[in-house]
Amino acid sequence: MSRAIAVDHAITVGLGARAYEVRVGGGLIDGAGQALAPFLKRRRTAIVSDETVWGLHGARLSAALERAGIAALPVIVPPGEQTKSFAGLADVTDRLLALELDRGDVITAFGGGVVGDLAGFAAAIYKRGVDFVQIPTTLLAQVDSSVGGKTAIDTPRGKNLVGAFHQPKLVLADLDVLATLPDREMRAGYAEVIKYGLLGDFTFFEWLELNAAGVLAREPVALAQAVARSVETKAEIVAEDETEQGRRALLNLGHTFGHALESETGYGAALLHGEAVAAGMALAFRFSASQGLCPTQDAYRAGVAIATAGLPTTLAEVAGHPFDAQRLVRHMAQDKKAEGGKLTFILAHGLGEAFVAKDVDATAVTAFLKLEGAA
Ligand code: NAD
Ligand code: GLY
């Protein structure tokens, strides 16, 4: 289902010599050959993709590259979070070596956040670093994981614990590919869209209150606007704080509660990352209200916006409930965002007014989770 190439939005991630463009629009895959050509020393690129994405959209990308005289060298991996592992990384790097990819070649990540994080990390370390391009195919990857250069794999001790900052050379967010994305994955990605409104853009939050149905139905104008506004916000934050020394942490709104829930549910189909973030954001707003930091009506309104998109806002809606409050808090203490035994949360003074709270008391969180229904 291709349409004429329409770059509705081109957003620059302003990182000086490493600046790059995120193009958002329809039909971008059909023009991938011309888009990638300036970055290639040889007319070839290794494409890391998963079986599902490659089966649905691989022929279209290969044909587009071949029209521009670029050989597409597929490195196809199984779909799912378990691929983002040491074993998955070993497999991908071995296959890149077998393809005799050299330091002047470019890796193309073609898939969701799993493929983007894995291929990006492989690019960061392959022969001490090669360039890569992101062609994200989930809403979550288009608005979040393909932008900003965080790449990682999971280890048995936790998620994203081994990785590198490695910025892509280009991001092509082709909205057409979202037509095949299952509705549940679309909603999970939408959680990250709401996140941008909740963390710092009240006007965008209000726009989403009115346009959620259009975005989720993949109505082209609403979808392009939602993706572009999300990317603009992320690009602006990343340009200011690439390695998360300060403000970039705001992008973790909902993630401390969310990662604890993901740890308990096993990082799989029981609870998708975006669903965990959705519940986590609702909990972060209610926790903020419970501590007198945020008006109760703002926490309520955040929850309504999240629930209206068909996303969970309470522990009771998450498979695995009832959770143990102390186990959840222990996961939070192990999170990368915990420093010196104190819990770090992104809390809110109101809608669009998130802030980093570095010394949150674990007992207050435990008590709050019990009020929320945890054992
Ligand atoms: P995913 O990559 O697992 O994709 C979800 C599912 O959708 C997969 O089964 C995939 O095969 C399928 N899929 C992808 N595109 C499709 C399409 N167009 N049509 C049909 N099916 C399609 O998951 P995700 O939600 O995209 O990403 C989650 C990952 O992203 C997690 O590992 C998370 O840690 C990571 N992440 C990274 C960052 C970052 O900054 N690097 C930010 C957020 C999340
Ligand atoms: N997803 C959080 C970040 O990119 O910083």
Side-chain angles (χ1 to χ4, degrees):
M1 75 140 280
S2 67
R3 52 176 152 137
I5 298 167
V7 183
D8 297 329
H9 304 265
I11 299 130
T12 298
V13 184
L15 289 168
R18 289 173 297 108
Y20 56 95
E21 229 181 47
V22 182
R23 297 181 196 156
V24 177
L28 298 185
I29 286 175
D30 302 313
Q34 293 100 300
L36 262 69
F39 303 100
L40 306 181
K41 293 198 177 68
R42 291 195 282 178
R43 310 281 298 175
R44 65 203 301 251
T45 179
I47 303 176
V48 181
S49 189
D50 76 27
E51 287 153 7
T52 306
V53 172
W54 192 249
L56 289 165
H57 303 287
R60 188 174 153 217
L61 178 58
S62 296
L65 293 171
E66 275 156 26
R67 277 198 302 277
I70 298 167
L73 311 171
V75 176
I76 308 306
V77 299
E81 188 70 31
Q82 69 283 356
T83 294
K84 234 181 82 175
S85 60
F86 274 112
L89 181 69
D91 174 48
V92 165
T93 48
D94 185 57
R95 287 155 76 188
L96 295 173
L97 288 165
L99 290 170
E100 297 182 357
L101 211 72
D102 70 28
R103 291 190 66 187
D105 288 324
V106 171
I107 295 172
T108 299
F110 184 45
V114 163
V115 159
D117 281 11
L118 175 66
F121 188 40
I125 60 173
Y126 181 82
K127 297 193 175 174
R128 300 198 178 86
V130 295
D131 289 343
F132 85 116
V133 165
Q134 291 263 21
I135 307 185
T137 64
T138 62
L139 180 60
L140 182 139
Q142 295 192 348
V143 300
D144 192 358
S145 60
S146 67
V147 180
K150 278 190 183 177
T151 73
I153 55 169
D154 307 331
T155 88
R157 291 184 188 277
K159 233 174 99 100
N160 297 328
L161 291 181
V162 174
F165 284 98
H166 188 53
Q167 300 291 344
K169 288 286 169 193
L170 176 71
V171 181
L172 298 178
D174 184 332
L175 303 174
D176 295 344
V177 289
L178 300 181
T180 58
L181 192 66
D183 288 345
R184 185 178 173 201
E185 296 286 353
M186 191 72 192
R187 287 193 296 275
Y190 185 76
E192 303 279 5
V193 174
I194 303 183
K195 181 185 80 178
Y196 293 109
L198 288 175
L199 74 85
D201 189 346
F202 179 61
T203 307
F204 185 46
F205 175 79
E206 282 191 304
W207 183 87
L208 288 170
E209 285 184 317
L210 298 173
N211 291 282
V215 176
L216 288 166
R218 288 152 251 216
E219 191 276 301
V221 176
L223 185 58
Q225 244 178 290
V227 173
R229 185 67 203 127
S230 300
V231 171
E232 276 165 11
T233 304
K234 181 149 188 186
E236 191 245 310
I237 292 174
V238 167
E240 185 185 310
D241 179 21
E242 182 181 8
T243 56
E244 199 169 309
Q245 304 306 306
R247 190 168 166 231
R248 183 164 180 169
L250 294 179
L251 296 172
N252 296 326
L253 176 63
H255 285 60
T256 307
F257 284 114
H259 279 166
L261 293 171
E262 283 184 284
S263 299
E264 283 293 277
T265 49
Y267 298 106
L271 183 67
L272 301 180
H273 175 70
E275 293 168 343
V277 169
M281 292 190 297
L283 288 164
F285 265 82
R286 287 201 296 278
F287 181 65
S288 301
S290 77
Q291 302 300 297
L293 298 166
C294 164
T296 308
Q297 62 268 32
D298 283 16
Y300 175 76
R301 200 167 152 189
V304 169
I306 295 165
T308 304
L311 288 160
T313 58
T314 61
L315 295 179
E317 290 167 89
V318 175
H321 183 73
F323 295 97
D324 181 84
Q326 270 165 352
R327 279 179 63 98
L328 289 176
V329 170
R330 266 200 298 280
H331 288 303
M332 293 170 192
Q334 283 161 5
D335 199 273
K336 288 197 290 318
K337 294 178 281 300
E339 272 176 33
K342 288 284 188 183
L343 299 178
T344 297
F345 279 86
I346 310 307
L347 299 180
H349 291 305
L351 296 163
E353 291 176 52
F355 66 97
V356 183
K358 284 208 170 218
D359 51 358
V360 177
D361 180 14
T363 17
V365 180
T366 309
F368 166 75
L369 287 169
K370 286 188 174 169
L371 283 174
E372 289 279 333

